[in-house]
Amino acid sequence: MNHKILKLLFILCTLILFDRNCSAQYKNEISVYTGFLQLKDELNQGMVYNGPQIGFQYQRNWFLKEWELHYNPKIAAGVPFNRGMTAATINFVPIDFSGIKTVYQKNNHDFRLGLNFVTNYSYQVYSEQHSAQLFWYGEIGIAPCIEYGYQWNQKRIKVFLQNSVAGFVSRTEEIRPYFYSFKISDFFTQPNQNMQFGSFDKYNHTTISAEYIPDISRKHSFVVRSRLLP
């Protein structure tokens, strides 16, 4: 069931993006970002790991007459710590596709509403606690999003909120009682196994960001972003 929905949405996105009759303008963005990472898993003895994270992000934007389309894949890696122990984490988002439309615009204020489709995979290894046990979280979901913007002179601020409503989720189910040496293929097979459909009763994925653009005629801004998973 989940694979059929994924294929249908992928085909729909492809038709939209590669329609030669579409007179959309587009822009490409590449960025490297750093952040603070905090990990807690109920299977990991309730321990919380904290540490730095660095990521690479590509974004392609299409500007249509009434819509903006965004394709935003990313990959990030982190090294959190707890009580002298080190963990390793990777977050891989191959598909992050959003469509957003302006619904209100007046006196330098504007509101936008849209919908996001994402495939999101996170992996963690706590080698000093669980040998080579692989922890994972996989998500294929949809989420509504809202954006507020205000512009004055050459400056602009934007506040963005996105929250999941439904999707398929897979996560680590148990701690194996023996040494488990995982293979590269496990990074692809494990997060797509035992997918369960759910909404707020099973998982929640929230993204909040605030962006300040000191000069809209230039290509730089300052962004603070928070991403919350269950």
Side-chain angles (χ1 to χ4, degrees):
M1 177 65 178
N2 56 325
H3 296 293
K4 292 181 179 179
I5 294 177
L6 179 59
K7 289 179 181 178
L8 179 61
L9 289 171
F10 180 77
I11 292 173
L12 178 61
C13 292
T14 302
L15 292 175
I16 293 174
L17 298 182
F18 295 100
D19 182 2
R20 294 184 179 272
N21 295 322
C22 176
S23 58
Q25 296 180 342
Y26 62 89
K27 180 176 69 173
N28 296 312
E29 299 177 12
I30 297 176
S31 60
V32 176
Y33 61 91
T34 60
F36 175 78
L37 180 68
Q38 186 174 82
L39 296 175
K40 181 178 181 181
D41 193 297
E42 62 182 6
L43 294 179
N44 193 25
Q45 302 170 3
M47 299 184 69
V48 179
Y49 279 74
N50 302 282
Q53 182 184 53
I54 185 169
F56 175 83
Q57 176 176 294
Y58 167 76
Q59 182 165 316
R60 185 175 177 91
N61 308 300
W62 289 265
F63 301 96
L64 307 177
K65 185 177 181 180
E66 297 181 348
W67 287 82
E68 286 188 20
L69 306 179
H70 307 284
Y71 174 57
N72 185 28
K74 60 182 77 73
I75 186 169
V79 185
F81 303 89
N82 183 298
R83 301 177 188 177
M85 296 182 292
T86 304
T89 175
I90 297 175
N91 178 229
F92 178 48
V93 183
I95 299 176
D96 188 341
F97 183 83
S98 299
I100 193 165
K101 181 180 180 181
T102 301
V103 295
Y104 176 82
Q105 190 171 29
K106 186 177 181 181
N107 298 331
N108 298 332
H109 299 269
D110 62 80
F111 286 92
R112 299 179 179 184
L113 296 176
L115 193 66
N116 171 263
F117 170 67
V118 67
T119 59
N120 178 26
Y121 302 101
S122 293
Y123 313 89
Q124 298 89 40
V125 175
Y126 307 93
S127 57
E128 296 179 63
Q129 272 190 274
H130 305 290
S131 297
Q133 167 75 43
L134 178 66
F135 288 72
W136 75 84
Y137 171 83
E139 172 194 359
I140 302 173
I142 58 174
C145 46
I146 181 171
E147 181 183 280
Y148 165 73
Y150 176 69
Q151 182 176 321
W152 72 102
N153 299 328
Q154 289 290 96
K155 300 176 175 58
R156 180 174 175 82
I157 59 170
K158 293 195 297 183
V159 179
F160 179 82
L161 172 64
Q162 177 180 300
N163 195 82
S164 56
V165 291
F168 294 89
V169 179
S170 173
R171 68 180 303 278
T172 309
E173 294 184 335
E174 62 181 358
I175 298 295
R176 302 169 189 258
Y178 53 85
F179 183 89
Y180 173 56
S181 179
F182 58 83
K183 305 181 293 294
I184 295 298
S185 60
D186 289 335
F187 283 87
F188 302 95
T189 59
Q190 296 282 12
N192 288 293
Q193 290 181 350
N194 304 315
M195 281 280 187
Q196 296 184 8
F197 180 80
S199 184
F200 301 114
D201 60 325
K202 288 190 178 293
Y203 84 109
N204 189 38
H205 177 185
T206 303
T207 300
I208 304 171
S209 69
E211 180 177 7
Y212 170 65
I213 306 171
D215 189 341
I216 60 174
S217 65
R218 304 197 176 192
K219 297 182 178 180
H220 66 274
S221 64
F222 302 94
V223 181
V224 177
R225 178 175 292 111
S226 177
R227 177 172 166 266
L228 306 174
L229 290 174

